[in-house]
Amino acid sequence: MFKSSRFISLGEHDEWYSSALADPNRKIFIGEDIVSKIGVVIFDFTRTQGQATISINLNPKRRNQGLASGLLMKALEASKALGHSTFYADVRINNIS
């Protein structure tokens, strides 16, 4: 989970994204449907073998449409197929989902 609410420049995001794609301990799943991109689920495998911390972020235009749980379930299925079995999530206190 990104823990800062400050504005991120395109350059900062591009740098993070390039680094994230090159990191063997990180898997990024992007969900989309025929309408648009739904969101992203990121798995950080920084814990012991087979464990990951999960981050999920929905496209602001697709929030409050009941899509988050389906996106998360599909990403978990894909990650389990890669041999991962235990997942952790940090949830913001103001997240009402």
Side-chain angles (χ1 to χ4, degrees), residues 15-70:
E15 184 177 318
W16 170 85
Y17 190 61
S18 294
S19 174
L21 289 176
D23 186 345
N25 293 316
R26 180 173 281 162
K27 297 291 182 210
I28 301 173
F29 296 91
I30 299 172
E32 61 185 344
D33 61 15
I34 60 171
V35 176
S36 66
K37 296 212 175 19
I38 296 170
V40 61
V41 180
I42 302 169
F43 295 87
D44 284 305
F45 300 100
T46 55
R47 297 175 177 263
T48 61
Q49 184 68 24
Q51 298 181 353
T53 300
I54 302 170
S55 300
I56 183 169
N57 190 8
L58 292 185
N59 175 347
K61 294 177 182 175
R62 302 305 303 273
R63 292 178 182 164
N64 301 312
Q65 297 176 24
L67 300 171
S69 60

Side-chain angles (χ1 to χ4, degrees), residues 81-93:
L82 296 172
H84 307 114
S85 59
T86 305
F87 306 96
Y88 299 88
D90 292 325
V91 181
R92 290 185 180 175
I93 197 165

